[in-house]
Amino acid sequence: MAARRELRPYIYLGLDQLAVIIYVVVIVKAVPTWMTSAKIHLWSMPIALQLMALGMASVFVPKLRKHGRWLALAGGGLILASAFLIIVRLLASAAFLAGVYGAFGQAAASGALVAVALVIEVVVLLPIVQVKWLMSRAGRRVFA
Amino acid sequence: MKRGWWLLIVWTVPSAILLAVTGIVFHAYRIPPPERLDDGERTRVIATLRAALSDQDPPHCEVHRAGNAVAVTVWSEGRTAIRIDGQGADVGAAVDAAAAQLRARPHIKTMPGITDARIQVDVIAGRAPLGDTEAVMNALALPGVASLLALNPGVEGIGAVANDKTVYVLPHELVLAKVVSTKRPSETMGDFAMGVDLGRIATMVGGRLGVKVDGKALFRFRTDAFVEQLAAHRDLPPLQLYRGIPPAPKLSAEALRTAAIAGAHYLVAHLAPNGRYVYEHDLSTGVKSDPLHPGAYSMPRHGGTTYFLAQVYRITKQEWLREPIERAFAHLVSLMKEGNCGAKLPDGTDVDCVLDKGEKDAQLGSTALVVVALAEYELATGDQRYRELETKLANWILWMQRPDGSFRHLYNPVTRVADDKAQLLYYSGEAALALTRMYVVTKDPRYVQAAERGLDWLVDWYDFFMGGFIFGEEHWTCIAAEAIYPAVQKAKYREFCAHYGSFLRQQQPERGEHPDEDDLVGAYNVTPFVPPYNTPAGSRTEAMISAYLLGVHEGVPDSALRDQIQATLQYTLGQQIRGDNDFDVVGDADGGMPGSPLERSVRIDYVQHVCSGMIRASEWPELAGQPH
């Protein structure tokens, strides 16, 4: 019986590329910022995700697959680190405001929690699932 | 390493890092509230300084509390006449040093009104860095957090050290210099100014030091501030200040009535001979808008303010109010003659509307609030001299109403065409109230039917899913919903206003909820970082009184609404300018209501909304904090 064809690299590639396009549009159109550190931080996400997409695209070129997997893992690691840094920045800002104003307030606390939840849902979910798969035996086999 | 260890690291290390960041940042920037000097200690501090100011040998200040710096401000006629800092081993020694400096000032011998001058003392009680000047925090915080929200406005000052000299720019000095809530997060948000202007603050500090100040030299500090009593009450301990404001009068019907009458006094004193109000009075400079020349003015606010005066007259019957009210109406009559808005409808009905000088479009809100004011005057006096005028204006409002109950808001008197697209805040509610009040004075059913249609449209507008979660500014709607009772009795009006009240209560912090900001309890604010304005506190209280009364009428008084109203009234009593807190006010503004604790200017509508709530609540003992 012929081995079942592994579809996941193609699905991840499509999702990665779609997410890159969405990130770029959102960053350019919806969240312009004047702060260089914020710009670098925001742009790190589509760039890291593009690295993941390129890594996944290596599935089409057998001799590049091994390197492609590492590239995708590096991109995934970068985007997870970037997301972690966003959460650190949110908490540092909240702690700063609580220190200066003596309280953070329910509205602001709810807003910060929603922001963290959105970061996890929108930014972290795709790379974390993808990295988990790339680290699994199935992932290694595809990119062997 | 075993898989179990990796799992443990993955699950615990990120959380530990996040916890550590939170704790370190909080403690690095927190200045705990100071332990305040007690009555006796404050009295001793002021005694030493008052003796020095009176050019007498000051007694040693026997206040041995921790603290090595005090800042002394001598207020005269609302302005800072003298400002000195004293330093020493403890608070008493610092006060002695300040007293010696004070006595050495030559102009205390020639300063006029030295007895009436009031001494304010700020004991410097703790300091912390500025987030914006620290590279790690500046890079780590979200954009604008460490700069625009760098300090607690009105509570914290900014100091700097250079060449062994320390200067303190006090919290109230930052407020008066208008640098604590004037920076815009973005140039595209012209009307949204909330941030601290650290650039201008650095310039202020540098000016005092005589050198250009590096941002890293700046620090935040908190103070225990207090001010000497008025000359007639110097036997009492000096008044503690928080955010520049002394303790509020205790809530009572009498206090509310006194405050509302004081507000009316302010407005009458700010009514020019031509019947136009001094629209705005800057408390820190004494600069007032000129009612004799064109400039910023609002006809809806002219109408609303005159309505409030008529309301106070109806309730108190104080005769000094009547002439100014009639003067304000006379101004409207002359404007209407010039405005050429009057017309005859095809069915022969006479209509007219209010148009200010230079205005091209007549605004529904202007005419509506003038009708409200005229009707209130008629109710208060029984005098029907304005009935014909009221009727023409009310006819125009009826003509501006659409069949579905909604209103058109703008009208061009030249083309005789109403704008069917423009929708402006407040106007529909104001129009509904105008028609309601017309019904009350005339008993003409046309008005109550139209008002009911208008109210139904306003309330039913929220009949969609998200409408259950959010509200716009509906204070006029609820005032009209109560004013129409008992001619129209609909449970949905009471339910709508009760829900509106519940929505607003979520913006009203309780005591202890924001421990550094208990002075703002009762105000409506969305977070501790945005200073609350006093006008919404007033207008929403007017609406909440109506919401509460709707419950009373239907036999289901809502105690949550009552508590909400009391909290705001207590807050606004403290905000009003009066003898004991007018030491930093230039010009006679007693009875006035500043924009906020941080925006030190009075506009006519600030007084109108807040004091209208006060005078109405003063008639209901349970709203004024007294047993029912």
Side-chain angles (χ1 to χ4, degrees), chain B residues 452-474:
Chain B
E452 184 181 356
R453 281 205 314 280
L455 278 170
D456 283 344
W457 185 87
L458 282 162
V459 171
D460 293 344
W461 185 87
Y462 286 89
D463 191 14
F464 63 101
F465 177 70
M466 282 303 288
F469 298 95
I470 53 161
F471 287 86
E473 288 292 350
E474 296 296 350

Side-chain angles (χ1 to χ4, degrees), chain A residues 33-35 37-38 84-108, chain B residues 14 18 22 25-26 29-30 131 137-143 145-146 149 151-153 156 220 514-517 526 528-529:
Chain A
T33 173
W34 73 92
M35 207 175 163
S37 70
F84 183 71
L85 189 57
I86 287 186
I87 296 170
V88 167
R89 294 182 73 174
L90 279 166
L91 283 178
S93 301
F96 172 80
L97 291 172
V100 171
Y101 289 84
F104 194 52
Q106 286 180 14
Chain B
L18 295 176
T22 307
V25 172
F26 177 82
Y29 293 97
R30 179 78 182 133
M137 192 61 216
N138 207 7
L140 207 57
L142 296 177
V145 167
L149 302 171
L151 56 85
N152 193 341
E156 294 180 348
R220 295 155 44 226
H514 303 153
D516 286 12
E517 307 200 346
V526 275
F529 328 124

Side-chain angles (χ1 to χ4, degrees), chain B residues 67-135:
Chain B
N68 58 8
V70 296
V72 177
T73 309
V74 179
W75 295 100
S76 178
E77 296 181 344
R79 292 191 166 88
T80 302
I82 300 172
R83 167 76 176 80
I84 51 175
D85 295 340
Q87 299 191 337
D90 60 17
V91 169
V95 171
D96 288 340
Q101 285 185 59
L102 193 56
R103 201 170 176 201
R105 291 286 178 107
H107 72 287
I108 62 168
K109 294 184 170 60
T110 55
M111 203 173 109
I114 207 149
T115 308
D116 291 329
R118 292 172 73 183
I119 302 169
Q120 176 180 334
V121 178
D122 284 74
V123 179
I124 313 300
R127 63 165 76 176
L130 261 174
D132 188 55
T133 58
E134 302 218 314

Side-chain angles (χ1 to χ4, degrees), chain B residues 305-529:
Chain B
T305 300
T306 311
Y307 157 59
F308 162 65
L309 292 179
Q311 199 176 34
V312 178
Y313 182 68
R314 176 174 60 78
I315 293 169
T316 67
K317 296 287 183 249
Q318 300 209 1
E319 275 305 316
W320 55 270
L321 283 161
R322 192 155 173 169
E323 182 282 325
I325 294 168
E326 289 166 1
R327 202 181 338 146
F329 285 149
H331 177 60
L332 289 166
V333 171
S334 69
L335 283 177
M336 286 168 66
K337 280 181 187 159
E338 292 172 29
N340 291 320
C341 198
K344 202 176 268 293
L345 297 179
D347 64 359
T349 306
D350 286 319
V351 297
D352 208 341
C353 59
V354 176
L355 202 66
D356 197 9
K357 285 176 190 163
E359 270 188 325
K360 287 181 181 165
D361 290 323
Q363 302 182 38
L364 182 69
S366 304
T367 301
L369 286 183
V370 167
V371 170
V372 171
L374 291 166
E376 189 72 19
Y377 174 86
E378 193 175 323
L379 279 174
T381 61
D383 183 344
Q384 296 190 358
R385 77 172 85 172
Y386 299 113
R387 175 64 73 83
E388 188 185 337
L389 175 66
E390 279 170 75
T391 306
K392 283 184 191 174
L393 295 172
N395 284 340
W396 182 76
I397 295 172
L398 288 173
W399 180 76
M400 290 289 276
Q401 191 174 33
R402 299 187 185 95
D404 67 355
S406 66
F407 291 91
R408 297 170 294 176
H409 289 179
L410 296 176
Y411 170 75
N412 186 321
V414 176
T415 61
R416 307 278 175 200
V417 172
D419 185 333
D420 251 308
K421 290 183 180 164
Q423 287 290 295
L424 303 169
L425 210 54
Y426 313 126
Y427 286 5
S428 293
E430 290 167 352
L433 179 62
L435 296 171
T436 302
R437 303 303 280 174
M438 277 303 286
Y439 171 73
V440 173
V441 292
T442 66
K443 300 295 176 205
D444 183 336
R446 285 184 310 147
Y447 298 126
V448 75
Q449 287 158 8
E452 184 181 356
R453 281 205 314 280
L455 278 170
D456 283 344
W457 185 87
L458 282 162
V459 171
D460 293 344
W461 185 87
Y462 286 89
D463 191 14
F464 63 101
F465 177 70
M466 282 303 288
F469 298 95
I470 53 161
F471 287 86
E473 288 292 350
E474 296 296 350
H475 55 272
W476 292 109
T477 307
C478 288
I479 295 170
E482 194 273 330
I484 206 169
Y485 191 93
V488 178
Q489 302 179 33
K490 287 189 172 174
K492 72 175 178 181
Y493 294 170
R494 179 183 56 76
E495 287 161 9
F496 173 82
C497 294
H499 282 129
Y500 180 42
S502 171
F503 171 77
L504 294 178
R505 272 200 298 285
Q506 292 173 28
Q507 299 166 38
Q508 200 181 38
E510 292 177 5
R511 191 162 296 282
E513 190 176 331
H514 303 153
D516 286 12
E517 307 200 346
D518 273 349
D519 60 316
L520 305 179
V521 165
Y524 292 101
N525 51 358
V526 275
T527 69
F529 328 124

Side-chain angles (χ1 to χ4, degrees), chain B residues 121-237:
Chain B
V121 178
D122 284 74
V123 179
I124 313 300
R127 63 165 76 176
L130 261 174
D132 188 55
T133 58
E134 302 218 314
V136 174
M137 192 61 216
N138 207 7
L140 207 57
L142 296 177
V145 167
S147 53
L148 295 173
L149 302 171
L151 56 85
N152 193 341
V155 173
E156 294 180 348
I158 297 280
V161 183
N163 303 329
D164 294 330
K165 187 180 172 190
T166 305
V167 296
Y168 299 100
V169 179
L170 298 170
H172 74 260
E173 292 177 319
L174 296 175
V175 171
L176 295 180
K178 298 184 170 64
V179 291
V180 290
S181 57
T182 48
K183 187 88 172 171
R184 295 185 180 92
S186 164
E187 288 308 312
T188 56
M189 301 157 80
D191 293 334
F192 185 58
M194 59 167 278
V196 178
D197 193 336
L198 288 175
R200 283 179 61 200
I201 291 175
T203 305
M204 281 175 78
V205 174
R208 292 197 187 176
L209 277 169
V211 291
K212 191 171 181 203
V213 177
D214 181 48
K216 288 191 170 52
L218 299 176
F219 59 85
R220 295 155 44 226
F221 64 89
R222 281 182 77 145
T223 72
D224 173 5
F226 49 95
V227 69
E228 196 177 19
Q229 293 273 4
L230 283 163
H233 305 297
R234 296 253 160 94
D235 52 325
L236 297 172

